[in-house]
């Protein structure tokens, strides 16, 4: 597990939800995978005097939270169109994944091939940090390396070694290399080539008879993905708009304590997996115990705020977690996450987490059903996605072969409302910049 990355999982109290409770199967699988690393929330469900399940310990939330308008908010439900370029890119990606090793000793590397290479970079005859790698896979023509690096590999054969001279861009962030000339000694270990899209290839490798049918299937696949992405974005934006604009006046102490305990139990579970005591484990992640305690509180407050808002809306609209609509959502979750077994769902995530997810999804449905829709509201939707209770944790930098580049990725873990996020920054290849590189001797 990467340094501090455990925090991203710890804030995911409700592992069932992805980006505001996504409903497609791929998201279910992703969330399930994370959940296998966690222990179920063992805190007890709360009930009112009539035996109805509640998400908070208080009978009325009015004293504790001021809930923002949740009826009549403006949302964007635009579904992105699929273009011919989108189809071509997906087809190229699929073909790339079917690449086969080129064994012809006389064959040379061309654009689109994936080359496995060793290389050593030197400046003024001296090797520099981050300029060496072995068995590095590079798609030629992808533009992930600085200018001249990939171009120098085109035309090389398996087993060939060649010196490629490049010049780092003036804007390169490593000042010791910016604007400087360097030489990379590159050895081709092997290379793979994607197949050509033909009717014969389609017939042999897919369920379709020709390229037109295959491309049409890709279009349908992309349209489905765009539809699901739009639906997930709609749910996330609907909830985050209300969550962000609501204000907690006072936190119920019992609920905060329960949430803190949940957070700590998850940390203890990870520590146990590492065969370490909690304090040693937390400090091994580069986090002080004081910071850890602060994160516990931050998580707890975000979680309690979420539940206060959900419960308040449900109370105002006459909903309960035991009504017909919520039971239908429960059945949906069982089908997605537990193969039709409610007991397995509860055993994996805990009854409280299941209840919180059901409540959130029910409220999201209500907000969406009572919203106004503006097809030009995309910018407002993005702005609403900014939430309270974020914790940012850097996972450390990795460098690549022609120097170094940094692409910050957010490792987002939802607590069922997408209202509490922890960032785990991981460097990766940046296909949109010139100055990407690979850390030496990977």
């Amino acid at each position: 597990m990467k340094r501090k990355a455990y925090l991203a999982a710890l804030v995911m109290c409700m592992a069932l939800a992805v980006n505001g409770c996504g409903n497609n199967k791929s998201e279910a699988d992703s969330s399930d995978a994370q959940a296998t690393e966690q222990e179920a929330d063992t805190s007890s469900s709360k009930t009112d005097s009539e035996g109805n399940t509640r998400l908070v310990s208080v009978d009325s939330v009015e004293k504790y939270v001021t809930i923002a308008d949740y009826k009549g908010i403006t949302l964007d439900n635009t579904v992105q169109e699929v273009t011919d370029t989108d189809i071509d890119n997906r087809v190229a990606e699929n073909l790339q994944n079917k690449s086969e090793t080129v064994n012809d000793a006389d064959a040379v590397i061309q654009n689109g091939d994936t080359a496995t290479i060793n290389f050593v970079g030197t400046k003024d005859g001296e090797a520099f940090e981050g300029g060496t790698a072995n068995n590095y896979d590079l798609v030629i023509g992808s533009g992930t390396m600085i200018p001249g690096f990939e171009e120098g590999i085109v035309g090389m054969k398996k087993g060939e070694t060649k010196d490629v001279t490049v010049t780092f861009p003036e804007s390169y962030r490593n000042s010791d290399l910016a604007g400087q000339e360097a030489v990379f000694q590159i050895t081709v270990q092997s290379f793979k080539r994607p197949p050509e899209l033909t009717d014969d290839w389609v017939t042999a490798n897919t369920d379709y008879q020709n390229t037109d049918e295959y491309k049409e299937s890709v279009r349908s696949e992309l349209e489905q993905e765009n539809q699901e992405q739009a639906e997930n974005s709609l749910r996330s934006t609907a909830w985050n708009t209300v969550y962000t604009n609501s204000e907690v006046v006072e936190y119920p102490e019992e609920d905060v304590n329960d949430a803190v305990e949940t957070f700590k139990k998850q940390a203890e579970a990870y520590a146990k997996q590492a065969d370490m005591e909690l304090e040693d484990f937390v400090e091994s992640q580069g986090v002080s115990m004081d910071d850890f305690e602060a994160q516990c509180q931050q998580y707890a407050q975000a979680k309690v705020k979420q539940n206060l808002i959900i419960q308040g809306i449900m109370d105002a609209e006459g909903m309960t977690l035991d009504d017909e609509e919520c039971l239908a959502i429960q059945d949906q979750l069982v089908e997605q996450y537990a193969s039709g077994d409610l007991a397995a769902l509860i055993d994996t995530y805990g009854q409280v987490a299941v209840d919180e997810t059901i409540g959130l999804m029910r409220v999201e449905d209500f907000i969406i059903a009572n919203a106004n829709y503006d097809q030009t509201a995309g910018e407002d939707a993005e702005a609403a996605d900014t939430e309270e209770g974020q914790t940012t944790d850097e996972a450390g930098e990795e460098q690549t072969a022609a120097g170094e580049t940094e692409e910050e990725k957010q490792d987002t873990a939802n607590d069922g409302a997408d209202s509490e996020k922890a960032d785990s920054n991981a460097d990766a290849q940046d296909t949109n910049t010139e100055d990407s590189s690979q850390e030496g001797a990977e």
Side-chain angles (χ1 to χ4, degrees):
M1 183 177 297
K2 284 192 174 184
R3 179 180 174 87
K4 300 185 185 179
Y6 81 106
L7 292 174
L10 289 178
V11 299
M12 191 176 66
C13 170
M14 296 170 60
L16 301 178
V18 177
N19 292 331
C21 291
N23 293 317
N24 66 66
K25 185 65 172 65
S26 63
E27 288 182 336
D29 292 341
S30 174
S31 185
D32 246 353
Q34 285 181 289
T36 59
E37 298 183 0
Q38 300 188 27
E39 291 185 351
D41 184 353
T42 57
S43 51
S44 302
S45 298
K46 304 173 180 67
T47 57
D48 61 19
S49 57
E50 298 179 358
N52 294 316
T53 303
R54 293 180 65 79
L55 303 179
V56 292
S57 61
V58 296
D59 292 333
S60 172
V61 305
E62 293 181 1
K63 166 185 172 182
Y64 297 92
V65 64
T66 301
I67 300 176
D69 291 337
Y70 57 87
K71 290 192 241 185
I73 66 174
T74 300
L75 298 173
D76 173 37
N77 63 349
T78 303
V79 179
Q80 183 177 345
E81 289 188 28
V82 174
T83 66
D84 290 343
T85 299
D86 294 332
I87 295 171
D88 290 342
N89 289 340
R90 176 59 62 84
V91 169
E93 179 182 321
N94 291 346
L95 292 174
Q96 190 75 50
N97 291 335
K98 296 291 186 179
S99 293
E100 296 183 354
T101 300
V102 177
N103 294 313
D104 184 352
D106 294 325
V108 298
I109 294 176
Q110 61 190 34
N111 279 329
D113 292 348
T114 299
T116 300
I117 58 176
N118 297 344
F119 55 83
V120 178
T122 58
K123 183 172 76 75
D124 300 328
E126 298 290 332
F128 53 85
E129 184 178 358
T132 300
N134 292 318
N135 299 318
Y136 182 71
D137 290 335
L138 174 65
V139 177
I140 306 302
S142 62
T144 56
M145 298 299 187
I146 63 174
F149 189 96
E150 295 172 34
E151 292 85 344
I153 299 174
V154 173
M156 293 182 67
K157 299 179 179 180
K158 177 181 177 180
E160 182 180 351
T161 297
K162 177 181 176 181
D163 287 346
V164 176
T165 301
V166 300
T167 300
F168 285 91
E170 294 288 347
S171 59
Y172 196 69
R173 66 176 189 156
N174 183 335
S175 59
D176 291 336
L177 296 174
Q180 299 297 304
E181 185 176 276
V183 177
F184 284 90
Q185 185 181 76
I186 302 172
T187 300
V188 176
Q189 302 288 81
S190 63
F191 63 97
K192 299 185 294 185
R193 180 166 295 164
E196 182 182 354
L197 181 64
T198 64
D199 288 346
D200 288 342
W201 183 87
V202 169
T203 301
N205 292 275
T206 74
D207 295 329
Y208 306 98
Q209 299 304 310
N210 53 58
T211 57
D212 288 340
E213 285 186 11
Y214 177 62
K215 286 187 175 182
E216 191 58 35
S217 74
V218 171
R219 177 184 293 278
S220 297
E221 178 183 277
L222 290 171
E223 288 175 344
Q224 179 65 26
E225 290 177 7
N226 287 355
Q227 180 67 43
E228 292 172 351
Q229 183 177 357
E231 291 175 359
N232 292 335
S233 178
L234 180 64
R235 298 184 73 87
S236 177
T237 302
W239 169 250
N240 290 329
T241 299
V242 177
Y243 178 92
T244 302
N245 293 318
S246 298
E247 182 179 355
V248 175
V249 179
E250 178 183 348
Y251 290 96
E253 184 177 357
E254 178 182 337
D255 296 341
V256 171
N257 290 340
D258 286 347
V260 167
E261 185 65 19
T262 295
F263 190 96
K264 289 185 175 180
K265 283 182 177 178
Q266 296 295 341
E268 289 168 354
Y270 280 110
K272 183 178 180 180
Q273 288 179 5
D275 196 24
M276 300 172 71
E277 295 297 324
L278 176 61
E279 183 172 352
D280 293 334
F281 176 73
V282 169
E283 292 180 353
S284 75
Q285 306 300 311
V287 180
S288 69
M289 286 304 295
D290 287 342
D291 287 342
F292 175 74
E293 292 293 340
Q295 289 164 355
C296 289
Q297 288 295 321
Q298 185 180 34
Y299 164 80
Q301 290 182 1
K303 181 175 184 288
V304 172
K305 176 181 178 180
Q306 166 189 300
N307 288 340
L308 286 170
I309 296 169
I310 294 171
Q311 191 65 66
I313 293 175
M314 293 185 72
D315 290 347
E317 303 301 332
M319 308 174 192
T320 73
L321 288 169
D322 306 305
D323 63 24
E324 183 177 343
E325 290 83 356
C326 283
L327 290 176
I329 293 173
Q330 174 182 278
D331 291 342
Q332 176 185 340
L333 292 175
V334 167
E335 180 179 351
Q336 288 180 329
Y337 297 95
S339 301
D341 190 339
L342 176 60
L345 183 73
I346 294 173
D347 184 60
T348 301
Y349 300 101
Q351 183 68 63
V352 171
V354 172
D355 291 341
E356 289 173 339
T357 301
I358 292 171
L360 172 63
M361 294 179 70
R362 177 71 189 281
V363 166
E364 284 178 341
D365 288 342
F366 185 86
I367 296 171
I368 290 169
N370 289 275
N372 297 317
Y373 291 94
D374 181 356
Q375 302 300 324
T376 63
E379 293 184 2
D380 294 336
E382 290 182 6
D385 216 23
T386 301
E387 310 170 47
E388 297 180 7
Q390 289 188 328
T391 59
T392 301
D393 303 286
E394 292 186 56
E397 296 183 356
E398 294 177 350
Q399 300 173 342
T400 62
E404 50 185 313
T405 190
E406 183 178 22
E407 178 183 288
E408 188 174 75
K409 289 184 177 179
Q410 195 175 57
D411 186 1
T412 304
N414 297 298
D415 65 355
D418 201 25
S419 61
E420 170 74 0
K421 292 182 178 178
D423 301 339
S424 175
N425 298 333
D427 293 344
Q429 294 283 356
D430 187 346
T431 57
N432 298 317
T433 62
E434 295 180 346
D435 52 340
S436 180
S437 55
Q438 171 66 37
E439 185 171 16
E442 282 191 335

